[in-house]
Structures are given as C-alpha cells and as structure tokens.
Amino acid sequence: MRVGVVTIFPDFVKVIKDYGVIAQAVENGLIDIEIFNLRDFTTDKHKVVDDYPYGGGPGMVMKPEPFFRFFEFYNQKYGKPYVLLTTPQGKRLTNSFAQELASKEHILIICGRYEGIDERVSHFVDEEVSIGDYVLTGGELPAMVVIDVVSRFVSGVVEEESVKNDSFYNDLLDHPHYTRPREIEGFKVPEVLVSGNHEEVELWRRKESLKKTILKRPDLFMKHAFDDLDKKALISLFKELMSNAQ
Ligand SMILES: C[S@@+](CC[C@H](N)C(=O)[O-])C[C@H]1O[C@@H](n2cnc3c(N)ncnc32)[C@H](O)[C@@H]1O
C-alpha cells in the first residue's frame, strides 16, 4: 500500500516510519509512506502557506495555491490516490472505516493547521476523516493515527488472528492478558490459563471479553452478533455471577 502525507511539519510525521510494527512493515515493503512538505509548493521567498480569512475573524487559513500545485505534482508522479482530508468535521475513524481504507492501494492524507484549509481544496478530496470529537492544533497526529490503524489491516503487517482478537473487531473488547511470573506479590494468573486445556482457555477468554464489553461498552455489546461460543460463555458468566452472589 502506498501512503502519501502532505503537511507543513514533515519531521513531526516522519517518526511514524521509525518505530515498531509500522517500521517493520515499511522495511518489508508492505507499506510505502512518503511525506511531503507543503512549503516546497509555495513560490514566494518566505514560503508562506497561510493568509487572513475573507470576512475577517480570528486565525489564519491555509492558502489553496500550494495545495493545487502539490496535487498537480503528486498525481503526475504517483497517479491518482484516494484523498483523505483530516478535519474534526469528517467521518469518525473506526475499525471498520480503517478496514475500508486498508483495501485502497494508495491513499494521500492532507494535514491542516490554523483555522483549517481554504474550502476550495475540498474539490480534490474523496473523504474527510476525524479521529474524534475534539479539535487538535493540526492534522499531523490524525494522519499518524490513520496510518497506524489502517496499517494493522494491511495484509501481512499484523497476524490476522491477532487483529481478529483485538478490541472492536466483532464489537467486543479484548480479554485480559497475562505473562510470567505466574504469581506476583500474591496476585495470581487465572488457573485456567495454565491448565493446558485449549477449549477451556478459549471459553474463558470469550467470557472475559463479554464481561468487559458489558461493563465498559454496553453499546458495543448490543451490536455484537452472538455465535455458539458466545452463548456458552454467557452461560458460564451467568453461573459465575450466581455463585459469587451466594
Ligand atoms: C485547529 S484545527 C481547525 C478546526 C476547524 N476550525 C474546525 O473547527 O472545524 C486545524 C487542523 O487540525 C486538524 N484536526 C483538528 N482536530 C482534528 C480531528 N479531531 N480529527 C482530524 N483532524 C483534526 C485538521 O487538519 C484541521 O484543519
């Protein structure tokens, strides 16, 4: 998958390529991330990218011309990407939206600053994306969040089994995880996890997953499509609750 990012702070964004799973994916050629400095597409001596808003008011607005020049350069060099504009007004980024984006071969992410970007740049945009209902100072963190979450759905980047067990996949939260030691300061790992009984482990994990989802995210629980393991796990959870109540 090819990912382009255009920003006035390329050094800020480029660290996304340097760490962990994303760095490995880049090294293995699964994702190609290229970051562009919008100021390289200005024509004046001071590389100005913002200007006063028509109609007055506070703050500055990102000028359209550097973006228009950038798109012309980019499309000619790499072909037409699926263009995402980071904005708090966009479609909320979720697991399923990220999965959709991961199916694109080529995306380009535009990072805004100041009060945002001149509205006419939206003619180049396929979809607007928001990472949540709050306003950040710029689109760089959202671009990095988009790259991170989308990469996890690119084939080969993360083990498929792991992605499927993570929170939000199938509208459930992940079960608790434990590692060595088996006991620390009196806190023990649940016996079932060291029992060697894979079926029991699977049932316990689903039960814990359902429990966490009911307690923390009942909205997800209501959307979850229940399978046979869920039904067994719910019975086991119910029995646990009853025996704790006695
Ligand atoms: C200060 S914000 C502009 C906010 C804009 N005036 C508004 O109220 O909708 C500057 C830039 O940060 C980015 N941004 C801020 N919050 C965001 C969010 N929640 N999701 C995605 N991008 C965001 C966008 O690129 C935006 O153009």
Side-chain angles (χ1 to χ4, degrees), residues 57-88:
M60 301 296 276
V61 177
M62 293 186 90
K63 289 158 67 63
E65 303 96 313
F67 284 104
F68 277 57
R69 272 185 225 110
F70 169 75
F71 287 124
E72 196 181 330
F73 152 84
Y74 191 93
N75 291 351
Q76 237 172 47
K77 185 157 182 200
Y78 300 102
K80 171 87 184 72
Y82 191 76
V83 181
L84 290 174
L85 171 67
T86 57
T87 160

PDB file of all heavy atoms in Angstrom, residues 57-88:
ATOM      1  N   GLY A  57     -12.293  37.953  11.185  1.00  0.00           N
ATOM      2  CA  GLY A  57     -12.362  36.958  12.266  1.00  0.00           C
ATOM      3  C   GLY A  57     -10.980  36.493  12.660  1.00  0.00           C
ATOM      4  O   GLY A  57      -9.988  36.836  12.023  1.00  0.00           O
ATOM      5  N   PRO A  58     -10.936  35.663  13.745  1.00  0.00           N
ATOM      6  CA  PRO A  58      -9.637  35.259  14.282  1.00  0.00           C
ATOM      7  C   PRO A  58      -8.982  34.165  13.430  1.00  0.00           C
ATOM      8  O   PRO A  58      -9.667  33.441  12.697  1.00  0.00           O
ATOM      9  CB  PRO A  58     -10.011  34.698  15.659  1.00  0.00           C
ATOM     10  CG  PRO A  58     -11.395  34.203  15.494  1.00  0.00           C
ATOM     11  CD  PRO A  58     -12.070  35.084  14.476  1.00  0.00           C
ATOM     12  N   GLY A  59      -7.679  34.034  13.593  1.00  0.00           N
ATOM     13  CA  GLY A  59      -6.947  32.916  12.991  1.00  0.00           C
ATOM     14  C   GLY A  59      -6.634  33.107  11.526  1.00  0.00           C
ATOM     15  O   GLY A  59      -7.109  34.045  10.884  1.00  0.00           O
ATOM     16  N   MET A  60      -5.834  32.188  11.015  1.00  0.00           N
ATOM     17  CA  MET A  60      -5.404  32.214   9.621  1.00  0.00           C
ATOM     18  C   MET A  60      -5.968  30.986   8.907  1.00  0.00           C
ATOM     19  O   MET A  60      -6.392  30.028   9.543  1.00  0.00           O
ATOM     20  CB  MET A  60      -3.871  32.194   9.556  1.00  0.00           C
ATOM     21  CG  MET A  60      -3.206  33.353  10.259  1.00  0.00           C
ATOM     22  SD  MET A  60      -3.596  34.939   9.492  1.00  0.00           S
ATOM     23  CE  MET A  60      -2.383  34.992   8.183  1.00  0.00           C
ATOM     24  N   VAL A  61      -5.924  31.049   7.580  1.00  0.00           N
ATOM     25  CA  VAL A  61      -6.458  29.952   6.769  1.00  0.00           C
ATOM     26  C   VAL A  61      -5.345  29.473   5.834  1.00  0.00           C
ATOM     27  O   VAL A  61      -4.576  30.293   5.324  1.00  0.00           O
ATOM     28  CB  VAL A  61      -7.661  30.455   5.926  1.00  0.00           C
ATOM     29  CG1 VAL A  61      -8.189  29.348   5.014  1.00  0.00           C
ATOM     30  CG2 VAL A  61      -8.767  30.965   6.845  1.00  0.00           C
ATOM     31  N   MET A  62      -5.266  28.166   5.619  1.00  0.00           N
ATOM     32  CA  MET A  62      -4.231  27.658   4.697  1.00  0.00           C
ATOM     33  C   MET A  62      -4.612  28.002   3.268  1.00  0.00           C
ATOM     34  O   MET A  62      -5.741  27.737   2.828  1.00  0.00           O
ATOM     35  CB  MET A  62      -4.047  26.155   4.873  1.00  0.00           C
ATOM     36  CG  MET A  62      -3.450  25.813   6.225  1.00  0.00           C
ATOM     37  SD  MET A  62      -3.060  24.076   6.406  1.00  0.00           S
ATOM     38  CE  MET A  62      -1.365  24.054   5.808  1.00  0.00           C
ATOM     39  N   LYS A  63      -3.669  28.577   2.558  1.00  0.00           N
ATOM     40  CA  LYS A  63      -3.906  29.059   1.191  1.00  0.00           C
ATOM     41  C   LYS A  63      -4.121  27.884   0.224  1.00  0.00           C
ATOM     42  O   LYS A  63      -3.486  26.841   0.383  1.00  0.00           O
ATOM     43  CB  LYS A  63      -2.674  29.837   0.698  1.00  0.00           C
ATOM     44  CG  LYS A  63      -2.469  31.177   1.370  1.00  0.00           C
ATOM     45  CD  LYS A  63      -1.015  31.636   1.270  1.00  0.00           C
ATOM     46  CE  LYS A  63      -0.577  31.948  -0.142  1.00  0.00           C
ATOM     47  NZ  LYS A  63      -1.307  33.070  -0.745  1.00  0.00           N
ATOM     48  N   PRO A  64      -4.950  28.073  -0.789  1.00  0.00           N
ATOM     49  CA  PRO A  64      -5.192  26.950  -1.709  1.00  0.00           C
ATOM     50  C   PRO A  64      -4.052  26.677  -2.704  1.00  0.00           C
ATOM     51  O   PRO A  64      -3.829  25.533  -3.075  1.00  0.00           O
ATOM     52  CB  PRO A  64      -6.456  27.367  -2.463  1.00  0.00           C
ATOM     53  CG  PRO A  64      -6.494  28.866  -2.381  1.00  0.00           C
ATOM     54  CD  PRO A  64      -5.831  29.228  -1.078  1.00  0.00           C
ATOM     55  N   GLU A  65      -3.333  27.762  -3.124  1.00  0.00           N
ATOM     56  CA  GLU A  65      -2.383  27.564  -4.242  1.00  0.00           C
ATOM     57  C   GLU A  65      -1.328  26.481  -3.996  1.00  0.00           C
ATOM     58  O   GLU A  65      -1.087  25.652  -4.889  1.00  0.00           O
ATOM     59  CB  GLU A  65      -1.655  28.866  -4.626  1.00  0.00           C
ATOM     60  CG  GLU A  65      -2.531  30.025  -5.006  1.00  0.00           C
ATOM     61  CD  GLU A  65      -2.766  30.937  -3.814  1.00  0.00           C
ATOM     62  OE1 GLU A  65      -3.076  30.424  -2.722  1.00  0.00           O
ATOM     63  OE2 GLU A  65      -2.650  32.166  -3.980  1.00  0.00           O
ATOM     64  N   PRO A  66      -0.682  26.454  -2.793  1.00  0.00           N
ATOM     65  CA  PRO A  66       0.325  25.394  -2.594  1.00  0.00           C
ATOM     66  C   PRO A  66      -0.284  23.994  -2.725  1.00  0.00           C
ATOM     67  O   PRO A  66       0.343  23.086  -3.284  1.00  0.00           O
ATOM     68  CB  PRO A  66       0.827  25.639  -1.159  1.00  0.00           C
ATOM     69  CG  PRO A  66       0.529  27.072  -0.894  1.00  0.00           C
ATOM     70  CD  PRO A  66      -0.743  27.364  -1.638  1.00  0.00           C
ATOM     71  N   PHE A  67      -1.532  23.820  -2.265  1.00  0.00           N
ATOM     72  CA  PHE A  67      -2.195  22.510  -2.395  1.00  0.00           C
ATOM     73  C   PHE A  67      -2.463  22.192  -3.870  1.00  0.00           C
ATOM     74  O   PHE A  67      -2.245  21.068  -4.312  1.00  0.00           O
ATOM     75  CB  PHE A  67      -3.512  22.493  -1.612  1.00  0.00           C
ATOM     76  CG  PHE A  67      -3.325  22.360  -0.128  1.00  0.00           C
ATOM     77  CD1 PHE A  67      -3.485  23.449   0.713  1.00  0.00           C
ATOM     78  CD2 PHE A  67      -2.970  21.142   0.440  1.00  0.00           C
ATOM     79  CE1 PHE A  67      -3.306  23.325   2.082  1.00  0.00           C
ATOM     80  CE2 PHE A  67      -2.786  21.012   1.817  1.00  0.00           C
ATOM     81  CZ  PHE A  67      -2.956  22.112   2.638  1.00  0.00           C
ATOM     82  N   PHE A  68      -2.939  23.189  -4.626  1.00  0.00           N
ATOM     83  CA  PHE A  68      -3.231  22.949  -6.043  1.00  0.00           C
ATOM     84  C   PHE A  68      -1.946  22.511  -6.769  1.00  0.00           C
ATOM     85  O   PHE A  68      -1.955  21.567  -7.553  1.00  0.00           O
ATOM     86  CB  PHE A  68      -3.831  24.204  -6.703  1.00  0.00           C
ATOM     87  CG  PHE A  68      -5.325  24.336  -6.477  1.00  0.00           C
ATOM     88  CD1 PHE A  68      -5.871  24.370  -5.197  1.00  0.00           C
ATOM     89  CD2 PHE A  68      -6.195  24.425  -7.555  1.00  0.00           C
ATOM     90  CE1 PHE A  68      -7.249  24.489  -4.992  1.00  0.00           C
ATOM     91  CE2 PHE A  68      -7.577  24.546  -7.369  1.00  0.00           C
ATOM     92  CZ  PHE A  68      -8.098  24.576  -6.075  1.00  0.00           C
ATOM     93  N   ARG A  69      -0.849  23.214  -6.449  1.00  0.00           N
ATOM     94  CA  ARG A  69       0.449  22.856  -7.086  1.00  0.00           C
ATOM     95  C   ARG A  69       0.880  21.471  -6.637  1.00  0.00           C
ATOM     96  O   ARG A  69       1.353  20.668  -7.441  1.00  0.00           O
ATOM     97  CB  ARG A  69       1.535  23.870  -6.683  1.00  0.00           C
ATOM     98  CG  ARG A  69       1.566  25.045  -7.596  1.00  0.00           C
ATOM     99  CD  ARG A  69       2.727  25.969  -7.246  1.00  0.00           C
ATOM    100  NE  ARG A  69       2.207  27.324  -7.263  1.00  0.00           N
ATOM    101  CZ  ARG A  69       2.032  28.090  -6.208  1.00  0.00           C
ATOM    102  NH1 ARG A  69       2.389  27.695  -5.009  1.00  0.00           N
ATOM    103  NH2 ARG A  69       1.506  29.290  -6.337  1.00  0.00           N
ATOM    104  N   PHE A  70       0.703  21.189  -5.354  1.00  0.00           N
ATOM    105  CA  PHE A  70       1.110  19.885  -4.819  1.00  0.00           C
ATOM    106  C   PHE A  70       0.342  18.757  -5.524  1.00  0.00           C
ATOM    107  O   PHE A  70       0.934  17.764  -5.958  1.00  0.00           O
ATOM    108  CB  PHE A  70       0.883  19.814  -3.301  1.00  0.00           C
ATOM    109  CG  PHE A  70       1.033  18.423  -2.772  1.00  0.00           C
ATOM    110  CD1 PHE A  70       2.288  17.844  -2.632  1.00  0.00           C
ATOM    111  CD2 PHE A  70      -0.089  17.662  -2.450  1.00  0.00           C
ATOM    112  CE1 PHE A  70       2.430  16.535  -2.179  1.00  0.00           C
ATOM    113  CE2 PHE A  70       0.046  16.363  -1.992  1.00  0.00           C
ATOM    114  CZ  PHE A  70       1.312  15.797  -1.856  1.00  0.00           C
ATOM    115  N   PHE A  71      -0.990  18.912  -5.658  1.00  0.00           N
ATOM    116  CA  PHE A  71      -1.793  17.843  -6.283  1.00  0.00           C
ATOM    117  C   PHE A  71      -1.356  17.595  -7.723  1.00  0.00           C
ATOM    118  O   PHE A  71      -1.311  16.452  -8.175  1.00  0.00           O
ATOM    119  CB  PHE A  71      -3.281  18.167  -6.229  1.00  0.00           C
ATOM    120  CG  PHE A  71      -3.867  18.028  -4.847  1.00  0.00           C
ATOM    121  CD1 PHE A  71      -4.518  19.089  -4.245  1.00  0.00           C
ATOM    122  CD2 PHE A  71      -3.762  16.834  -4.145  1.00  0.00           C
ATOM    123  CE1 PHE A  71      -5.049  18.969  -2.973  1.00  0.00           C
ATOM    124  CE2 PHE A  71      -4.287  16.704  -2.863  1.00  0.00           C
ATOM    125  CZ  PHE A  71      -4.928  17.777  -2.271  1.00  0.00           C
ATOM    126  N   GLU A  72      -1.041  18.679  -8.416  1.00  0.00           N
ATOM    127  CA  GLU A  72      -0.620  18.517  -9.809  1.00  0.00           C
ATOM    128  C   GLU A  72       0.664  17.687  -9.860  1.00  0.00           C
ATOM    129  O   GLU A  72       0.777  16.731 -10.637  1.00  0.00           O
ATOM    130  CB  GLU A  72      -0.387  19.889 -10.446  1.00  0.00           C
ATOM    131  CG  GLU A  72      -0.349  19.785 -11.946  1.00  0.00           C
ATOM    132  CD  GLU A  72      -0.091  21.132 -12.591  1.00  0.00           C
ATOM    133  OE1 GLU A  72      -0.495  22.168 -12.014  1.00  0.00           O
ATOM    134  OE2 GLU A  72       0.521  21.123 -13.664  1.00  0.00           O
ATOM    135  N   PHE A  73       1.625  18.043  -8.991  1.00  0.00           N
ATOM    136  CA  PHE A  73       2.894  17.305  -8.918  1.00  0.00           C
ATOM    137  C   PHE A  73       2.636  15.847  -8.532  1.00  0.00           C
ATOM    138  O   PHE A  73       3.120  14.916  -9.172  1.00  0.00           O
ATOM    139  CB  PHE A  73       3.810  17.985  -7.885  1.00  0.00           C
ATOM    140  CG  PHE A  73       4.772  17.049  -7.231  1.00  0.00           C
ATOM    141  CD1 PHE A  73       5.980  16.722  -7.843  1.00  0.00           C
ATOM    142  CD2 PHE A  73       4.475  16.469  -5.988  1.00  0.00           C
ATOM    143  CE1 PHE A  73       6.865  15.832  -7.225  1.00  0.00           C
ATOM    144  CE2 PHE A  73       5.356  15.587  -5.382  1.00  0.00           C
ATOM    145  CZ  PHE A  73       6.546  15.264  -6.002  1.00  0.00           C
ATOM    146  N   TYR A  74       1.843  15.660  -7.481  1.00  0.00           N
ATOM    147  CA  TYR A  74       1.664  14.327  -6.901  1.00  0.00           C
ATOM    148  C   TYR A  74       0.982  13.380  -7.887  1.00  0.00           C
ATOM    149  O   TYR A  74       1.438  12.256  -8.115  1.00  0.00           O
ATOM    150  CB  TYR A  74       0.862  14.425  -5.602  1.00  0.00           C
ATOM    151  CG  TYR A  74       0.856  13.136  -4.819  1.00  0.00           C
ATOM    152  CD1 TYR A  74       1.810  12.905  -3.832  1.00  0.00           C
ATOM    153  CD2 TYR A  74      -0.091  12.143  -5.064  1.00  0.00           C
ATOM    154  CE1 TYR A  74       1.821  11.719  -3.109  1.00  0.00           C
ATOM    155  CE2 TYR A  74      -0.076  10.957  -4.352  1.00  0.00           C
ATOM    156  CZ  TYR A  74       0.869  10.748  -3.376  1.00  0.00           C
ATOM    157  OH  TYR A  74       0.882   9.564  -2.669  1.00  0.00           O
ATOM    158  N   ASN A  75      -0.127  13.865  -8.455  1.00  0.00           N
ATOM    159  CA  ASN A  75      -0.883  12.997  -9.372  1.00  0.00           C
ATOM    160  C   ASN A  75      -0.054  12.613 -10.590  1.00  0.00           C
ATOM    161  O   ASN A  75      -0.164  11.499 -11.103  1.00  0.00           O
ATOM    162  CB  ASN A  75      -2.186  13.675  -9.822  1.00  0.00           C
ATOM    163  CG  ASN A  75      -3.175  13.795  -8.677  1.00  0.00           C
ATOM    164  OD1 ASN A  75      -2.961  13.235  -7.608  1.00  0.00           O
ATOM    165  ND2 ASN A  75      -4.253  14.544  -8.898  1.00  0.00           N
ATOM    166  N   GLN A  76       0.780  13.544 -11.024  1.00  0.00           N
ATOM    167  CA  GLN A  76       1.626  13.255 -12.187  1.00  0.00           C
ATOM    168  C   GLN A  76       2.676  12.203 -11.839  1.00  0.00           C
ATOM    169  O   GLN A  76       2.949  11.309 -12.619  1.00  0.00           O
ATOM    170  CB  GLN A  76       2.333  14.524 -12.619  1.00  0.00           C
ATOM    171  CG  GLN A  76       2.041  14.879 -14.071  1.00  0.00           C
ATOM    172  CD  GLN A  76       2.591  16.239 -14.401  1.00  0.00           C
ATOM    173  OE1 GLN A  76       3.743  16.540 -14.080  1.00  0.00           O
ATOM    174  NE2 GLN A  76       1.771  17.060 -15.030  1.00  0.00           N
ATOM    175  N   LYS A  77       3.220  12.315 -10.632  1.00  0.00           N
ATOM    176  CA  LYS A  77       4.310  11.404 -10.240  1.00  0.00           C
ATOM    177  C   LYS A  77       3.806  10.026  -9.806  1.00  0.00           C
ATOM    178  O   LYS A  77       4.399   9.018 -10.145  1.00  0.00           O
ATOM    179  CB  LYS A  77       5.118  12.040  -9.107  1.00  0.00           C
ATOM    180  CG  LYS A  77       6.320  11.225  -8.729  1.00  0.00           C
ATOM    181  CD  LYS A  77       7.397  12.007  -8.055  1.00  0.00           C
ATOM    182  CE  LYS A  77       8.576  11.074  -7.764  1.00  0.00           C
ATOM    183  NZ  LYS A  77       9.454  11.568  -6.744  1.00  0.00           N
ATOM    184  N   TYR A  78       2.694   9.997  -9.039  1.00  0.00           N
ATOM    185  CA  TYR A  78       2.261   8.728  -8.433  1.00  0.00           C
ATOM    186  C   TYR A  78       0.917   8.218  -8.925  1.00  0.00           C
ATOM    187  O   TYR A  78       0.485   7.141  -8.530  1.00  0.00           O
ATOM    188  CB  TYR A  78       2.180   8.881  -6.906  1.00  0.00           C
ATOM    189  CG  TYR A  78       3.487   9.261  -6.270  1.00  0.00           C
ATOM    190  CD1 TYR A  78       3.723  10.573  -5.880  1.00  0.00           C
ATOM    191  CD2 TYR A  78       4.484   8.310  -6.074  1.00  0.00           C
ATOM    192  CE1 TYR A  78       4.919  10.929  -5.288  1.00  0.00           C
ATOM    193  CE2 TYR A  78       5.687   8.661  -5.486  1.00  0.00           C
ATOM    194  CZ  TYR A  78       5.903   9.974  -5.088  1.00  0.00           C
ATOM    195  OH  TYR A  78       7.088  10.322  -4.511  1.00  0.00           O
ATOM    196  N   GLY A  79       0.230   8.986  -9.734  1.00  0.00           N
ATOM    197  CA  GLY A  79      -1.123   8.605 -10.144  1.00  0.00           C
ATOM    198  C   GLY A  79      -2.121   9.071  -9.108  1.00  0.00           C
ATOM    199  O   GLY A  79      -1.750   9.570  -8.052  1.00  0.00           O
ATOM    200  N   LYS A  80      -3.408   8.887  -9.416  1.00  0.00           N
ATOM    201  CA  LYS A  80      -4.464   9.449  -8.562  1.00  0.00           C
ATOM    202  C   LYS A  80      -4.632   8.621  -7.283  1.00  0.00           C
ATOM    203  O   LYS A  80      -4.982   7.448  -7.333  1.00  0.00           O
ATOM    204  CB  LYS A  80      -5.748   9.504  -9.387  1.00  0.00           C
ATOM    205  CG  LYS A  80      -7.001   9.859  -8.643  1.00  0.00           C
ATOM    206  CD  LYS A  80      -7.234  11.345  -8.554  1.00  0.00           C
ATOM    207  CE  LYS A  80      -8.449  11.679  -7.707  1.00  0.00           C
ATOM    208  NZ  LYS A  80      -8.273  11.480  -6.274  1.00  0.00           N
ATOM    209  N   PRO A  81      -4.426   9.221  -6.107  1.00  0.00           N
ATOM    210  CA  PRO A  81      -4.658   8.498  -4.845  1.00  0.00           C
ATOM    211  C   PRO A  81      -6.099   8.687  -4.365  1.00  0.00           C
ATOM    212  O   PRO A  81      -6.840   9.497  -4.923  1.00  0.00           O
ATOM    213  CB  PRO A  81      -3.717   9.217  -3.878  1.00  0.00           C
ATOM    214  CG  PRO A  81      -3.707  10.634  -4.384  1.00  0.00           C
ATOM    215  CD  PRO A  81      -3.928  10.600  -5.875  1.00  0.00           C
ATOM    216  N   TYR A  82      -6.469   7.956  -3.319  1.00  0.00           N
ATOM    217  CA  TYR A  82      -7.716   8.218  -2.604  1.00  0.00           C
ATOM    218  C   TYR A  82      -7.360   9.276  -1.562  1.00  0.00           C
ATOM    219  O   TYR A  82      -6.548   9.037  -0.670  1.00  0.00           O
ATOM    220  CB  TYR A  82      -8.217   6.937  -1.934  1.00  0.00           C
ATOM    221  CG  TYR A  82      -9.615   7.057  -1.408  1.00  0.00           C
ATOM    222  CD1 TYR A  82     -10.703   7.015  -2.273  1.00  0.00           C
ATOM    223  CD2 TYR A  82      -9.850   7.216  -0.054  1.00  0.00           C
ATOM    224  CE1 TYR A  82     -12.001   7.137  -1.793  1.00  0.00           C
ATOM    225  CE2 TYR A  82     -11.149   7.338   0.431  1.00  0.00           C
ATOM    226  CZ  TYR A  82     -12.206   7.296  -0.457  1.00  0.00           C
ATOM    227  OH  TYR A  82     -13.494   7.425   0.019  1.00  0.00           O
ATOM    228  N   VAL A  83      -7.961  10.473  -1.708  1.00  0.00           N
ATOM    229  CA  VAL A  83      -7.502  11.609  -0.899  1.00  0.00           C
ATOM    230  C   VAL A  83      -8.346  11.774   0.360  1.00  0.00           C
ATOM    231  O   VAL A  83      -9.573  11.906   0.294  1.00  0.00           O
ATOM    232  CB  VAL A  83      -7.515  12.914  -1.733  1.00  0.00           C
ATOM    233  CG1 VAL A  83      -7.008  14.084  -0.893  1.00  0.00           C
ATOM    234  CG2 VAL A  83      -6.660  12.761  -2.988  1.00  0.00           C
ATOM    235  N   LEU A  84      -7.647  11.775   1.506  1.00  0.00           N
ATOM    236  CA  LEU A  84      -8.306  11.963   2.806  1.00  0.00           C
ATOM    237  C   LEU A  84      -7.911  13.322   3.363  1.00  0.00           C
ATOM    238  O   LEU A  84      -6.715  13.647   3.412  1.00  0.00           O
ATOM    239  CB  LEU A  84      -7.812  10.911   3.800  1.00  0.00           C
ATOM    240  CG  LEU A  84      -8.237   9.475   3.567  1.00  0.00           C
ATOM    241  CD1 LEU A  84      -7.512   8.567   4.564  1.00  0.00           C
ATOM    242  CD2 LEU A  84      -9.741   9.332   3.728  1.00  0.00           C
ATOM    243  N   LEU A  85      -8.906  14.071   3.802  1.00  0.00           N
ATOM    244  CA  LEU A  85      -8.630  15.347   4.471  1.00  0.00           C
ATOM    245  C   LEU A  85      -8.871  15.163   5.968  1.00  0.00           C
ATOM    246  O   LEU A  85      -9.958  14.740   6.379  1.00  0.00           O
ATOM    247  CB  LEU A  85      -9.554  16.440   3.922  1.00  0.00           C
ATOM    248  CG  LEU A  85      -9.530  17.778   4.673  1.00  0.00           C
ATOM    249  CD1 LEU A  85      -8.183  18.474   4.529  1.00  0.00           C
ATOM    250  CD2 LEU A  85     -10.644  18.696   4.179  1.00  0.00           C
ATOM    251  N   THR A  86      -7.866  15.462   6.779  1.00  0.00           N
ATOM    252  CA  THR A  86      -8.068  15.392   8.235  1.00  0.00           C
ATOM    253  C   THR A  86      -8.841  16.630   8.674  1.00  0.00           C
ATOM    254  O   THR A  86      -8.463  17.755   8.350  1.00  0.00           O
ATOM    255  CB  THR A  86      -6.712  15.349   8.976  1.00  0.00           C
ATOM    256  OG1 THR A  86      -5.951  16.503   8.607  1.00  0.00           O
ATOM    257  CG2 THR A  86      -5.938  14.103   8.657  1.00  0.00           C
ATOM    258  N   THR A  87      -9.936  16.408   9.359  1.00  0.00           N
ATOM    259  CA  THR A  87     -10.752  17.514   9.879  1.00  0.00           C
ATOM    260  C   THR A  87     -11.653  16.988  10.993  1.00  0.00           C
ATOM    261  O   THR A  87     -12.160  15.847  10.890  1.00  0.00           O
ATOM    262  CB  THR A  87     -11.619  18.176   8.775  1.00  0.00           C
ATOM    263  OG1 THR A  87     -12.705  18.883   9.396  1.00  0.00           O
ATOM    264  CG2 THR A  87     -12.197  17.185   7.792  1.00  0.00           C
ATOM    265  N   PRO A  88     -11.873  17.793  12.039  1.00  0.00           N
ATOM    266  CA  PRO A  88     -12.778  17.319  13.093  1.00  0.00           C
ATOM    267  C   PRO A  88     -14.206  17.139  12.587  1.00  0.00           C
ATOM    268  O   PRO A  88     -15.035  16.540  13.270  1.00  0.00           O
ATOM    269  CB  PRO A  88     -12.690  18.410  14.161  1.00  0.00           C
ATOM    270  CG  PRO A  88     -12.080  19.595  13.508  1.00  0.00           C
ATOM    271  CD  PRO A  88     -11.291  19.109  12.347  1.00  0.00           C
TER     272      PRO A  88
END
